[in-house]
Amino acid sequence: MTKLAPALPIEVDSETGVWTTDALPMLYVPRHFFINNHVAVEEVLGAEKYAEILYHAGYKSAWHWCEKEAELHDISGEAVFEHYMTRLSQRGWGLFITEQIDLDTGTAQVRLEHSAFVYQLGKTGNKEEYMFTGWFAGAMDQILAARGSSLRTVAEQTQSAAEPGCDVGIFAVQPLTDAAR
């Protein structure tokens, strides 16, 4: 295994101790701490309810992040989505690979390798990375809105490396139907 220094810019305010990356405040916590908290909340609320809450929160956060990053780096369209996948990968969530993206149709497919959830929880038989789904739809919708499109999307996890016979996670982004709006 080759070890690298972080590839994303990290600044720490000497007076406050606040970490920032690309001008956004960040938190640095051990993986087990985050996932243990995630599992504890899931156990109380149930996976379905917790997934719904995380979807909306993640959607809003991804929209905000993509908006700020597009402005900061003067990028747009697919470049914003790819930058988002790169930054997620650089933060230790796993390796996110855009397998397909089409802004005209509002579709994308993302493959997740080396999932932090699977590394921590193992082969549970469940789709453990559901918290990412809102992130992909929020990112896609911010990019679409910035292009002037009224198209909106929904994302779902179709496969997880935590499931038997699967080595990677797969996420699909599709346009919302009129009934779902």
Short mmCIF file of all heavy atoms in Angstrom, two decimals, residues 33-83:
data_model
loop_
_atom_site.label_atom_id
_atom_site.label_comp_id
_atom_site.label_asym_id
_atom_site.label_seq_id
_atom_site.Cartn_x
_atom_site.Cartn_y
_atom_site.Cartn_z
N PHE A 33 -16.24 6.43 14.51
CA PHE A 33 -17.08 7.36 15.27
C PHE A 33 -18.31 7.74 14.45
O PHE A 33 -19.44 7.65 14.92
CB PHE A 33 -16.28 8.61 15.64
CG PHE A 33 -17.11 9.70 16.28
CD1 PHE A 33 -17.39 9.67 17.63
CD2 PHE A 33 -17.62 10.74 15.52
CE1 PHE A 33 -18.16 10.66 18.23
CE2 PHE A 33 -18.39 11.74 16.10
CZ PHE A 33 -18.66 11.69 17.46
N PHE A 34 -18.09 8.15 13.20
CA PHE A 34 -19.21 8.55 12.36
C PHE A 34 -20.16 7.38 12.11
O PHE A 34 -21.38 7.51 12.28
CB PHE A 34 -18.73 9.11 11.01
CG PHE A 34 -19.87 9.46 10.12
CD1 PHE A 34 -20.50 10.68 10.22
CD2 PHE A 34 -20.37 8.53 9.21
CE1 PHE A 34 -21.60 10.98 9.43
CE2 PHE A 34 -21.46 8.83 8.41
CZ PHE A 34 -22.08 10.05 8.52
N ILE A 35 -19.63 6.24 11.73
CA ILE A 35 -20.49 5.11 11.37
C ILE A 35 -21.19 4.53 12.59
O ILE A 35 -22.37 4.14 12.51
CB ILE A 35 -19.71 4.06 10.56
CG1 ILE A 35 -19.35 4.68 9.20
CG2 ILE A 35 -20.52 2.77 10.38
CD1 ILE A 35 -18.54 3.83 8.27
N ASN A 36 -20.55 4.52 13.75
CA ASN A 36 -21.23 4.07 14.97
C ASN A 36 -22.41 4.98 15.30
O ASN A 36 -23.48 4.50 15.70
CB ASN A 36 -20.26 4.01 16.15
CG ASN A 36 -19.32 2.84 16.06
OD1 ASN A 36 -19.54 1.89 15.33
ND2 ASN A 36 -18.22 2.91 16.82
N ASN A 37 -22.25 6.28 15.11
CA ASN A 37 -23.36 7.21 15.32
C ASN A 37 -24.47 6.97 14.30
O ASN A 37 -25.65 6.98 14.62
CB ASN A 37 -22.87 8.66 15.26
CG ASN A 37 -22.25 9.09 16.56
OD1 ASN A 37 -22.93 9.52 17.48
ND2 ASN A 37 -20.95 8.94 16.66
N HIS A 38 -24.07 6.77 13.05
CA HIS A 38 -25.02 6.51 11.96
C HIS A 38 -25.86 5.26 12.29
O HIS A 38 -27.09 5.29 12.19
CB HIS A 38 -24.23 6.31 10.66
CG HIS A 38 -25.03 5.88 9.50
ND1 HIS A 38 -25.69 6.77 8.68
CD2 HIS A 38 -25.27 4.65 8.99
CE1 HIS A 38 -26.32 6.10 7.73
NE2 HIS A 38 -26.06 4.82 7.89
N VAL A 39 -25.20 4.19 12.69
CA VAL A 39 -25.89 2.94 13.01
C VAL A 39 -26.81 3.12 14.22
O VAL A 39 -27.93 2.60 14.24
CB VAL A 39 -24.87 1.81 13.24
CG1 VAL A 39 -25.53 0.56 13.83
CG2 VAL A 39 -24.17 1.46 11.93
N ALA A 40 -26.38 3.87 15.22
CA ALA A 40 -27.20 4.09 16.41
C ALA A 40 -28.50 4.82 16.05
O ALA A 40 -29.58 4.45 16.54
CB ALA A 40 -26.41 4.88 17.46
N VAL A 41 -28.42 5.84 15.20
CA VAL A 41 -29.62 6.57 14.79
C VAL A 41 -30.52 5.66 13.95
O VAL A 41 -31.74 5.64 14.12
CB VAL A 41 -29.25 7.86 14.03
CG1 VAL A 41 -30.49 8.53 13.46
CG2 VAL A 41 -28.51 8.82 14.95
N GLU A 42 -29.91 4.88 13.05
CA GLU A 42 -30.69 3.95 12.22
C GLU A 42 -31.45 2.95 13.09
O GLU A 42 -32.61 2.63 12.80
CB GLU A 42 -29.75 3.22 11.26
CG GLU A 42 -30.46 2.23 10.36
CD GLU A 42 -29.50 1.43 9.52
OE1 GLU A 42 -28.99 0.40 10.03
OE2 GLU A 42 -29.24 1.84 8.37
N GLU A 43 -30.82 2.46 14.14
CA GLU A 43 -31.47 1.49 15.02
C GLU A 43 -32.70 2.09 15.71
O GLU A 43 -33.69 1.41 15.93
CB GLU A 43 -30.48 0.96 16.06
CG GLU A 43 -29.46 0.01 15.46
CD GLU A 43 -28.37 -0.40 16.44
OE1 GLU A 43 -28.31 0.15 17.59
OE2 GLU A 43 -27.54 -1.25 16.06
N VAL A 44 -32.64 3.37 16.06
CA VAL A 44 -33.76 4.02 16.73
C VAL A 44 -34.88 4.37 15.75
O VAL A 44 -36.06 4.11 16.01
CB VAL A 44 -33.29 5.29 17.48
CG1 VAL A 44 -34.47 6.09 18.00
CG2 VAL A 44 -32.35 4.91 18.61
N LEU A 45 -34.51 4.95 14.61
CA LEU A 45 -35.52 5.42 13.66
C LEU A 45 -35.99 4.35 12.68
O LEU A 45 -37.08 4.48 12.12
CB LEU A 45 -34.96 6.60 12.84
CG LEU A 45 -34.61 7.87 13.59
CD1 LEU A 45 -34.03 8.89 12.63
CD2 LEU A 45 -35.84 8.43 14.29
N GLY A 46 -35.17 3.36 12.43
CA GLY A 46 -35.42 2.40 11.37
C GLY A 46 -34.73 2.88 10.11
O GLY A 46 -34.66 4.09 9.85
N ALA A 47 -34.24 1.95 9.32
CA ALA A 47 -33.46 2.30 8.12
C ALA A 47 -34.28 3.12 7.12
O ALA A 47 -33.76 4.07 6.54
CB ALA A 47 -32.92 1.04 7.46
N GLU A 48 -35.54 2.77 6.94
CA GLU A 48 -36.35 3.49 5.94
C GLU A 48 -36.55 4.96 6.31
O GLU A 48 -36.37 5.85 5.48
CB GLU A 48 -37.70 2.79 5.78
CG GLU A 48 -38.51 3.32 4.61
CD GLU A 48 -39.77 2.51 4.38
OE1 GLU A 48 -39.70 1.26 4.39
OE2 GLU A 48 -40.83 3.14 4.18
N LYS A 49 -36.92 5.23 7.54
CA LYS A 49 -37.14 6.61 7.99
C LYS A 49 -35.83 7.40 7.99
O LYS A 49 -35.77 8.55 7.55
CB LYS A 49 -37.78 6.63 9.38
CG LYS A 49 -38.08 8.02 9.90
CD LYS A 49 -39.12 8.72 9.04
CE LYS A 49 -39.47 10.09 9.58
NZ LYS A 49 -40.31 10.85 8.66
N TYR A 50 -34.77 6.76 8.48
CA TYR A 50 -33.48 7.43 8.52
C TYR A 50 -32.99 7.75 7.11
O TYR A 50 -32.47 8.82 6.86
CB TYR A 50 -32.48 6.56 9.29
CG TYR A 50 -31.18 7.25 9.61
CD1 TYR A 50 -31.11 8.60 9.98
CD2 TYR A 50 -29.99 6.54 9.58
CE1 TYR A 50 -29.90 9.20 10.28
CE2 TYR A 50 -28.77 7.14 9.88
CZ TYR A 50 -28.74 8.47 10.23
OH TYR A 50 -27.54 9.07 10.53
N ALA A 51 -33.17 6.81 6.20
CA ALA A 51 -32.77 7.03 4.80
C ALA A 51 -33.51 8.22 4.20
O ALA A 51 -32.92 9.03 3.48
CB ALA A 51 -33.02 5.78 3.97
N GLU A 52 -34.78 8.36 4.52
CA GLU A 52 -35.57 9.50 4.02
C GLU A 52 -35.04 10.82 4.56
O GLU A 52 -34.87 11.79 3.82
CB GLU A 52 -37.04 9.31 4.42
CG GLU A 52 -37.95 10.43 3.97
CD GLU A 52 -39.37 10.26 4.47
OE1 GLU A 52 -39.79 9.12 4.78
OE2 GLU A 52 -40.07 11.28 4.58
N ILE A 53 -34.73 10.86 5.83
CA ILE A 53 -34.19 12.07 6.46
C ILE A 53 -32.84 12.42 5.83
O ILE A 53 -32.59 13.57 5.46
CB ILE A 53 -34.06 11.88 7.98
CG1 ILE A 53 -35.45 11.79 8.63
CG2 ILE A 53 -33.24 13.00 8.61
CD1 ILE A 53 -35.43 11.27 10.06
N LEU A 54 -31.97 11.41 5.71
CA LEU A 54 -30.64 11.65 5.14
C LEU A 54 -30.72 12.07 3.68
O LEU A 54 -29.90 12.88 3.22
CB LEU A 54 -29.77 10.41 5.28
CG LEU A 54 -29.29 10.08 6.69
CD1 LEU A 54 -28.55 8.75 6.69
CD2 LEU A 54 -28.42 11.19 7.24
N TYR A 55 -31.68 11.54 2.95
CA TYR A 55 -31.82 11.89 1.54
C TYR A 55 -32.04 13.40 1.40
O TYR A 55 -31.35 14.08 0.64
CB TYR A 55 -32.99 11.13 0.90
CG TYR A 55 -33.06 11.31 -0.59
CD1 TYR A 55 -32.47 10.39 -1.45
CD2 TYR A 55 -33.71 12.41 -1.16
CE1 TYR A 55 -32.51 10.55 -2.83
CE2 TYR A 55 -33.76 12.58 -2.53
CZ TYR A 55 -33.17 11.65 -3.36
OH TYR A 55 -33.20 11.83 -4.72
N HIS A 56 -32.99 13.92 2.16
CA HIS A 56 -33.32 15.35 2.05
C HIS A 56 -32.18 16.23 2.56
O HIS A 56 -31.86 17.25 1.94
CB HIS A 56 -34.62 15.66 2.78
CG HIS A 56 -35.80 14.97 2.16
ND1 HIS A 56 -36.27 15.27 0.90
CD2 HIS A 56 -36.58 13.96 2.61
CE1 HIS A 56 -37.29 14.49 0.61
NE2 HIS A 56 -37.50 13.69 1.63
N ALA A 57 -31.57 15.85 3.66
CA ALA A 57 -30.44 16.63 4.19
C ALA A 57 -29.26 16.58 3.24
O ALA A 57 -28.61 17.60 2.98
CB ALA A 57 -30.04 16.09 5.57
N GLY A 58 -28.97 15.40 2.70
CA GLY A 58 -27.86 15.25 1.76
C GLY A 58 -28.10 15.99 0.46
O GLY A 58 -27.17 16.58 -0.11
N TYR A 59 -29.33 15.97 -0.01
CA TYR A 59 -29.71 16.70 -1.22
C TYR A 59 -29.40 18.19 -1.05
O TYR A 59 -28.73 18.81 -1.89
CB TYR A 59 -31.20 16.48 -1.51
CG TYR A 59 -31.72 17.20 -2.73
CD1 TYR A 59 -31.87 16.52 -3.93
CD2 TYR A 59 -32.08 18.54 -2.69
CE1 TYR A 59 -32.36 17.15 -5.06
CE2 TYR A 59 -32.56 19.19 -3.81
CZ TYR A 59 -32.70 18.49 -4.99
OH TYR A 59 -33.18 19.14 -6.11
N LYS A 60 -29.89 18.74 0.04
CA LYS A 60 -29.69 20.17 0.31
C LYS A 60 -28.20 20.51 0.44
O LYS A 60 -27.73 21.52 -0.10
CB LYS A 60 -30.43 20.54 1.61
CG LYS A 60 -30.34 21.98 2.01
CD LYS A 60 -31.13 22.22 3.29
CE LYS A 60 -31.02 23.64 3.76
NZ LYS A 60 -31.78 23.88 5.00
N SER A 61 -27.46 19.66 1.12
CA SER A 61 -26.03 19.90 1.32
C SER A 61 -25.25 19.80 0.02
O SER A 61 -24.36 20.61 -0.25
CB SER A 61 -25.47 18.90 2.34
OG SER A 61 -26.06 19.11 3.59
N ALA A 62 -25.58 18.82 -0.81
CA ALA A 62 -24.89 18.66 -2.09
C ALA A 62 -25.18 19.85 -3.01
O ALA A 62 -24.28 20.35 -3.69
CB ALA A 62 -25.31 17.36 -2.77
N TRP A 63 -26.42 20.30 -3.01
CA TRP A 63 -26.78 21.47 -3.83
C TRP A 63 -25.92 22.65 -3.42
O TRP A 63 -25.30 23.32 -4.25
CB TRP A 63 -28.27 21.79 -3.65
CG TRP A 63 -28.74 22.95 -4.48
CD1 TRP A 63 -28.33 24.25 -4.43
CD2 TRP A 63 -29.72 22.90 -5.53
NE1 TRP A 63 -29.00 25.02 -5.35
CE2 TRP A 63 -29.85 24.22 -6.04
CE3 TRP A 63 -30.51 21.89 -6.06
CZ2 TRP A 63 -30.75 24.53 -7.06
CZ3 TRP A 63 -31.40 22.21 -7.07
CH2 TRP A 63 -31.51 23.51 -7.57
N HIS A 64 -25.87 22.92 -2.11
CA HIS A 64 -25.09 24.05 -1.59
C HIS A 64 -23.62 23.90 -1.94
O HIS A 64 -22.98 24.85 -2.42
CB HIS A 64 -25.28 24.14 -0.06
CG HIS A 64 -24.46 25.19 0.59
ND1 HIS A 64 -24.81 26.52 0.58
CD2 HIS A 64 -23.29 25.11 1.28
CE1 HIS A 64 -23.89 27.21 1.23
NE2 HIS A 64 -22.96 26.38 1.66
N TRP A 65 -23.05 22.71 -1.72
CA TRP A 65 -21.65 22.47 -1.99
C TRP A 65 -21.33 22.70 -3.46
O TRP A 65 -20.36 23.39 -3.79
CB TRP A 65 -21.27 21.04 -1.57
CG TRP A 65 -19.80 20.79 -1.60
CD1 TRP A 65 -18.93 20.91 -0.57
CD2 TRP A 65 -19.02 20.38 -2.73
NE1 TRP A 65 -17.64 20.58 -0.98
CE2 TRP A 65 -17.68 20.26 -2.31
CE3 TRP A 65 -19.31 20.09 -4.06
CZ2 TRP A 65 -16.66 19.87 -3.15
CZ3 TRP A 65 -18.29 19.71 -4.91
CH2 TRP A 65 -16.98 19.60 -4.46
N CYS A 66 -22.14 22.13 -4.35
CA CYS A 66 -21.88 22.27 -5.79
C CYS A 66 -22.02 23.72 -6.24
O CYS A 66 -21.23 24.19 -7.07
CB CYS A 66 -22.83 21.37 -6.59
SG CYS A 66 -22.40 19.62 -6.44
N GLU A 67 -22.97 24.43 -5.68
CA GLU A 67 -23.14 25.84 -6.01
C GLU A 67 -21.90 26.65 -5.62
O GLU A 67 -21.38 27.44 -6.42
CB GLU A 67 -24.39 26.37 -5.29
CG GLU A 67 -24.82 27.75 -5.65
CD GLU A 67 -26.16 28.07 -5.01
OE1 GLU A 67 -26.28 27.97 -3.75
OE2 GLU A 67 -27.08 28.42 -5.76
N LYS A 68 -21.42 26.43 -4.40
CA LYS A 68 -20.25 27.17 -3.91
C LYS A 68 -18.98 26.78 -4.66
O LYS A 68 -18.16 27.63 -5.00
CB LYS A 68 -20.05 26.94 -2.40
CG LYS A 68 -21.18 27.47 -1.55
CD LYS A 68 -21.34 28.96 -1.72
CE LYS A 68 -22.46 29.50 -0.86
NZ LYS A 68 -22.81 30.87 -1.19
N GLU A 69 -18.80 25.49 -4.92
CA GLU A 69 -17.61 25.02 -5.61
C GLU A 69 -17.59 25.47 -7.08
O GLU A 69 -16.53 25.80 -7.61
CB GLU A 69 -17.51 23.50 -5.54
CG GLU A 69 -17.15 23.00 -4.17
CD GLU A 69 -15.74 23.38 -3.77
OE1 GLU A 69 -14.78 22.79 -4.29
OE2 GLU A 69 -15.59 24.29 -2.93
N ALA A 70 -18.74 25.46 -7.73
CA ALA A 70 -18.81 25.92 -9.12
C ALA A 70 -18.37 27.37 -9.20
O ALA A 70 -17.60 27.76 -10.09
CB ALA A 70 -20.22 25.74 -9.66
N GLU A 71 -18.83 28.16 -8.26
CA GLU A 71 -18.47 29.58 -8.21
C GLU A 71 -16.98 29.76 -7.89
O GLU A 71 -16.27 30.50 -8.57
CB GLU A 71 -19.33 30.29 -7.17
CG GLU A 71 -19.06 31.77 -7.05
CD GLU A 71 -19.92 32.41 -5.96
OE1 GLU A 71 -21.11 32.07 -5.86
OE2 GLU A 71 -19.38 33.25 -5.21
N LEU A 72 -16.51 29.05 -6.88
CA LEU A 72 -15.12 29.18 -6.44
C LEU A 72 -14.13 28.79 -7.54
O LEU A 72 -13.12 29.46 -7.75
CB LEU A 72 -14.86 28.32 -5.20
CG LEU A 72 -13.43 28.35 -4.65
CD1 LEU A 72 -13.11 29.71 -4.06
CD2 LEU A 72 -13.25 27.25 -3.61
N HIS A 73 -14.43 27.69 -8.24
CA HIS A 73 -13.49 27.17 -9.24
C HIS A 73 -13.85 27.55 -10.67
O HIS A 73 -13.18 27.12 -11.60
CB HIS A 73 -13.40 25.64 -9.12
CG HIS A 73 -12.87 25.19 -7.80
ND1 HIS A 73 -11.56 25.35 -7.43
CD2 HIS A 73 -13.48 24.58 -6.75
CE1 HIS A 73 -11.38 24.87 -6.22
NE2 HIS A 73 -12.53 24.39 -5.78
N ASP A 74 -14.94 28.34 -10.82
CA ASP A 74 -15.40 28.77 -12.15
C ASP A 74 -15.58 27.57 -13.08
O ASP A 74 -15.02 27.52 -14.18
CB ASP A 74 -14.45 29.80 -12.76
CG ASP A 74 -15.06 30.51 -13.97
OD1 ASP A 74 -16.30 30.63 -14.02
OD2 ASP A 74 -14.29 30.92 -14.86
N ILE A 75 -16.36 26.59 -12.61
CA ILE A 75 -16.66 25.41 -13.40
C ILE A 75 -18.18 25.26 -13.51
O ILE A 75 -18.93 25.86 -12.74
CB ILE A 75 -16.05 24.12 -12.79
CG1 ILE A 75 -16.48 23.93 -11.32
CG2 ILE A 75 -14.53 24.15 -12.91
CD1 ILE A 75 -15.98 22.65 -10.67
N SER A 76 -18.62 24.45 -14.47
CA SER A 76 -20.05 24.23 -14.66
C SER A 76 -20.28 22.86 -15.26
O SER A 76 -19.35 22.17 -15.68
CB SER A 76 -20.65 25.32 -15.56
OG SER A 76 -20.06 25.26 -16.85
N GLY A 77 -21.55 22.47 -15.30
CA GLY A 77 -21.95 21.23 -15.95
C GLY A 77 -21.30 20.00 -15.35
O GLY A 77 -21.14 19.87 -14.14
N GLU A 78 -20.91 19.08 -16.24
CA GLU A 78 -20.32 17.82 -15.81
C GLU A 78 -19.06 18.02 -14.97
O GLU A 78 -18.76 17.20 -14.10
CB GLU A 78 -20.01 16.94 -17.01
CG GLU A 78 -21.23 16.40 -17.70
CD GLU A 78 -20.91 15.52 -18.89
OE1 GLU A 78 -19.79 14.96 -18.95
OE2 GLU A 78 -21.77 15.39 -19.77
N ALA A 79 -18.35 19.10 -15.20
CA ALA A 79 -17.13 19.37 -14.43
C ALA A 79 -17.45 19.52 -12.94
O ALA A 79 -16.65 19.12 -12.09
CB ALA A 79 -16.42 20.61 -14.96
N VAL A 80 -18.61 20.08 -12.62
CA VAL A 80 -19.01 20.23 -11.22
C VAL A 80 -19.26 18.84 -10.62
O VAL A 80 -18.81 18.53 -9.51
CB VAL A 80 -20.26 21.12 -11.07
CG1 VAL A 80 -20.72 21.19 -9.62
CG2 VAL A 80 -20.00 22.50 -11.63
N PHE A 81 -19.99 18.00 -11.34
CA PHE A 81 -20.29 16.65 -10.86
C PHE A 81 -19.00 15.86 -10.65
O PHE A 81 -18.81 15.22 -9.62
CB PHE A 81 -21.21 15.92 -11.85
CG PHE A 81 -21.92 14.73 -11.26
CD1 PHE A 81 -23.11 14.88 -10.56
CD2 PHE A 81 -21.40 13.46 -11.42
CE1 PHE A 81 -23.76 13.78 -10.02
CE2 PHE A 81 -22.04 12.34 -10.89
CZ PHE A 81 -23.23 12.50 -10.19
N GLU A 82 -18.10 15.94 -11.61
CA GLU A 82 -16.82 15.22 -11.49
C GLU A 82 -15.99 15.76 -10.33
O GLU A 82 -15.34 14.98 -9.62
CB GLU A 82 -16.04 15.29 -12.80
CG GLU A 82 -16.63 14.45 -13.91
CD GLU A 82 -16.77 12.97 -13.53
OE1 GLU A 82 -15.92 12.43 -12.81
OE2 GLU A 82 -17.77 12.37 -13.96
N HIS A 83 -15.99 17.07 -10.14
CA HIS A 83 -15.28 17.66 -9.01
C HIS A 83 -15.87 17.15 -7.69
O HIS A 83 -15.13 16.83 -6.75
CB HIS A 83 -15.37 19.19 -9.10
CG HIS A 83 -14.69 19.92 -7.98
ND1 HIS A 83 -13.35 19.80 -7.69
CD2 HIS A 83 -15.19 20.80 -7.07
CE1 HIS A 83 -13.04 20.57 -6.66
NE2 HIS A 83 -14.16 21.17 -6.26
#
